[in-house]
């Protein structure tokens, strides 16, 4: 049973466009949602995260939109750059529990110059 | 930048052999996690520690895997008798253990079981 689901395995956008990566989840107890970025040969690195008490979190070119009622969230990458080409993982946890993360299966993002 | 150090980067073992990998967590992080990432990018939580004590582990970990985080030594994950299905990227992560926080991952050990 996939508790965290990412709707696209891959996504290609042109340089300068906004890339939108979607994620949904099943467990209502999840209250912390980080997005991780992973380049080939490296471990995942935290990009941006949101708690369920917020509906939006912005950090530079990266924004998370969160819809608690619908149990979904999206990562928007504005002004996409070739260096943003990577695999992006949506994850979820029950934060107060030092929770282990439940990861989605990732979206491989390619930015065309 | 993460300072979680994992060794070795690559590990090749035959079926039935032991496979051992190590992790030095970020300084000051008492909580250490081990995850398995397979070729389909699926992450599987294996075990986590706070200081030297196991917090949670899955059934698979109890049966064929052993892990420890001794004080003043690297953490380790060992597969007692490797199987082909164990071929994966093993990721170590550490955190402050205060909830709603970042997990810092190492670059992983890629295990291939022939």
């Amino acid at each position: 049973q996939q508790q965290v689901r990412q709707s696209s395995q891959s996504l290609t956008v042109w340089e300068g466009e906004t890339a939108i990566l979607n994620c949904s989840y099943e467990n209502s107890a999840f209250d912390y949602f980080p997005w991780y970025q992973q380049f080939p040969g490296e471990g995942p690195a935290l990009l941006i995260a949101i708690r369920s008490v917020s509906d939006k979190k912005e950090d530079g070119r990266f924004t998370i939109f969160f819809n608690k009622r619908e149990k979904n969230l999206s990562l928007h990458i504005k002004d996409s750059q070739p260096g943003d080409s990577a695999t992006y993982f949506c994850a979820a946890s029950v934060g107060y529990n030092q929770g282990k993360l439940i990861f989605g299966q990732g979206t491989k993002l390619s930015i065309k110059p | 930048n993460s300072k979680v150090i994992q060794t070795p980067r690559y590990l090749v073992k035959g079926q039935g052999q032991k496979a051992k990998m190590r992790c030095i967590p970020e300084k000051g992080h008492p909580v250490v996690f081990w995850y398995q990432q397979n070729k389909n990018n699926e992450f599987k939580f294996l075990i986590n520690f706070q200081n030297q004590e196991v917090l949670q582990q899955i059934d698979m970990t109890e049966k064929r895997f052993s892990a420890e985080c001794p004080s003043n030594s690297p953490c380790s994950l060992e597969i007692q008798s490797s199987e082909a299905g164990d071929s994966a990227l093993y990721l170590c992560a550490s955190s402050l253990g205060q909830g709603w926080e970042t997990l810092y991952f190492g670059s992983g050990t890629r295990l291939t079981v022939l």
Side-chain angles (χ1 to χ4, degrees):
Chain A
Q1 187 186 9
Q2 187 71 21
Q3 291 197 62
V4 177
R5 214 175 275 113
Q6 292 181 245
S7 57
S8 303
Q9 275 198 310
S10 63
L11 177 67
T12 301
V13 301
W14 293 101
E15 184 176 356
E17 289 185 336
T18 296
I20 300 174
L21 290 73
N22 295 307
C23 177
S24 61
Y25 63 97
E26 296 181 3
N27 188 346
S28 299
F30 289 148
D31 60 359
Y32 176 65
F33 301 87
W35 282 85
Y36 279 81
Q37 179 189 56
Q38 187 176 28
F39 294 104
E42 297 182 13
L46 179 73
L47 189 64
I48 186 173
I50 194 167
R51 286 180 55 187
S52 60
V53 293
S54 301
D55 55 17
K56 182 180 174 183
K57 177 76 176 288
E58 195 167 350
D59 184 358
R61 296 187 296 112
F62 305 97
T63 303
I64 299 174
F65 292 93
F66 179 72
N67 187 324
K68 188 171 183 176
R69 190 172 57 85
E70 299 291 330
K71 293 188 195 169
N72 60 45
L73 60 157
S74 59
L75 172 67
H76 292 225
I77 305 175
K78 272 193 304 192
D79 188 24
S80 298
Q81 306 293 313
D84 296 330
S85 297
T87 301
Y88 292 81
F89 293 93
C90 173
S93 73
V94 180
Y96 69 85
N97 198 26
Q98 306 166 357
K100 62 183 188 286
L101 291 174
I102 307 297
F103 285 85
Q105 286 186 275
T107 297
K108 185 174 181 180
L109 177 65
S110 300
I111 310 298
K112 283 188 172 180
Chain B
N1 288 334
S2 172
K3 293 184 173 59
V4 176
I5 308 297
Q6 288 191 250
T7 56
R9 284 299 300 268
Y10 302 95
L11 195 53
V12 180
K13 295 291 177 182
Q15 293 199 48
Q17 290 187 318
K18 282 188 187 179
K20 187 167 186 174
M21 53 205 86
R22 291 177 176 82
C23 170
I24 300 174
E26 189 137 351
K27 193 173 181 180
H29 284 190
V31 184
V32 175
F33 297 77
W34 286 99
Y35 284 85
Q36 179 196 67
Q37 184 182 18
N38 68 19
K39 62 179 181 179
N40 295 322
N41 273 340
E42 294 164 335
F43 285 77
K44 181 183 284 184
F45 165 83
L46 297 176
I47 191 168
N48 60 350
F49 292 84
Q50 178 148 7
N51 297 314
Q52 292 82 52
E53 307 237 343
V54 174
L55 292 175
Q56 297 170 292
Q57 62 182 333
I58 63 169
D59 285 349
M60 176 178 87
T61 314
E62 288 177 21
K63 286 169 185 161
R64 293 194 300 110
F65 291 60
S66 61
E68 59 177 3
C69 266
S71 62
N72 301 317
S73 292
C75 297
S76 65
L77 177 70
E78 184 171 56
I79 306 172
Q80 305 305 320
S81 177
S82 302
E83 299 174 357
D86 296 330
S87 296
L89 182 67
Y90 288 83
L91 292 162
C92 176
S94 70
S95 76
L96 288 168
Q98 295 167 354
W100 300 298
E101 61 180 309
T102 305
L103 259 60
Y104 294 89
F105 284 87
S107 296
T109 292
R110 184 163 296 283
L111 172 66
T112 302
V113 182
L114 303 174

